[in-house]
Amino acid sequence: MQGQTFGKVQTVLETQTQELVPKKQVGILGGNFNPVHYAHLVMGEQVGQALGLDKVYFMPEYLPPHVDEKKTIPAEHRLAMLELAIADNPRFAVETIELERKGKSYSVDTMRELTAKNPDTNYYFIIGGDMVNYLPKWHQIDELMELVTFVGVRRPEVPIDSPYPIIWIDIPLMDVSSTTIRKKVQQGCSVRYLLPDNVLHYIQEKGLYLDEE
């Protein structure tokens, strides 16, 4: 009887201790990162600093969940470039859950798994302001809203009205896209200062994007 009582008391104390320990505040920035560039990094840094996040995880998808199939390079290259790009920032890390799961990635499935594995963490899902209007079309968006807090990166031309609760963050505007970088590489144009030098060197070393259509 005394052993059972002690066990119950210990369980209660552990529960109370867990409630007193503040949760980790973690940002998730998902994407294809084909390739990662400075606009991605600025977005992660600005949101992380503005919200005081403990970590910002860059989460590469294995296959985009779009109806229209989009070509991408093998995940190993996109992951390698991400690791190079964030190496000097202690706030940044890479979350490989979608690469490990493979197949098409739906955010609700990923966040359901991450929140179950990490009950001590509050997640902030970072998206570009232009994506906010598409949220009603996201797979099981209502459940996803219960799992994460959405953070929208504000752009002047994009309205900030949304039926969903969004934390809006202003960041310096950078008109850089992975599509533009791939096209410039294919055309033999310079992409220096659009992405980190070590990522550019990796692209050149591996001969990536030379056969872009």
Side-chain angles (χ1 to χ4, degrees):
M1 180 66 69
Q2 289 182 341
Q4 291 179 346
T5 302
F6 176 77
K8 291 180 180 179
V9 172
Q10 186 178 31
T11 300
V12 170
L13 290 175
E14 288 176 351
T15 301
Q16 291 176 342
T17 301
Q18 290 172 356
E19 291 175 351
L20 291 174
V21 176
K23 286 192 172 185
K24 298 175 185 175
Q25 307 300 310
V26 171
I28 295 286
L29 180 55
N32 203 238
F33 302 113
N34 185 31
V36 60
H37 51 69
Y38 277 133
H40 295 133
L41 302 176
V42 168
M43 186 183 298
E45 175 67 12
Q46 293 289 314
V47 172
Q49 191 278 331
L51 298 182
L53 301 182
D54 298 301
K55 282 283 187 181
V56 174
Y57 283 89
F58 290 77
M59 186 171 69
E61 58 200 3
Y62 186 75
L63 286 175
H66 307 120
V67 176
D68 54 325
E69 295 283 345
K70 293 187 177 181
K71 291 182 62 177
T72 189
I73 62 173
E76 63 187 79
H77 292 310
R78 294 183 285 116
L79 176 58
M81 288 187 286
L82 262 178
E83 290 174 339
L84 289 170
I86 69 169
D88 62 349
N89 190 327
R91 192 199 300 270
F92 289 168
V94 178
E95 172 55 67
T96 59
I97 184 173
E98 294 190 346
L99 299 186
E100 294 163 10
R101 191 169 61 225
K102 300 187 176 181
K104 288 192 174 183
S105 302
Y106 290 101
S107 298
V108 67
D109 296 329
T110 299
M111 298 315 304
R112 192 186 293 133
E113 186 174 344
L114 285 178
T115 53
K117 287 182 177 179
N118 305 289
D120 62 340
T121 300
N122 289 328
Y123 284 102
Y124 296 80
F125 205 92
I126 306 166
I127 60 175
D130 55 335
M131 291 298 298
V132 171
N133 289 337
Y134 293 96
L135 285 178
K137 299 180 180 180
W138 282 36
H139 185 61
Q140 298 182 1
I141 182 61
D142 291 333
E143 180 182 351
L144 181 57
M145 282 287 171
E146 295 178 0
L147 296 172
V148 303
T149 299
F150 269 89
V151 180
V153 174
R154 196 195 308 267
R155 295 181 180 178
E157 73 280 5
V158 177
I160 62 174
D161 293 328
S162 174
Y164 300 105
I166 308 288
I167 297 177
W168 288 98
I169 302 292
D170 290 310
I171 71 170
L173 295 178
M174 298 185 67
D175 190 14
V176 182
S177 73
S178 297
T179 300
T180 298
I181 290 173
R182 295 197 304 270
K183 287 181 178 178
K184 284 186 172 293
V185 171
Q186 196 275 333
Q187 295 167 356
C189 300
S190 173
V191 293
R192 193 176 183 188
Y193 306 123
L194 300 181
L195 70 177
D197 284 345
N198 52 6
V199 175
L200 175 56
H201 296 157
Y202 183 92
I203 290 172
Q204 294 170 335
E205 177 186 337
K206 301 296 182 181
L208 303 180
Y209 310 126
L210 297 179
D211 57 351
E212 286 283 300
E213 66 281 352

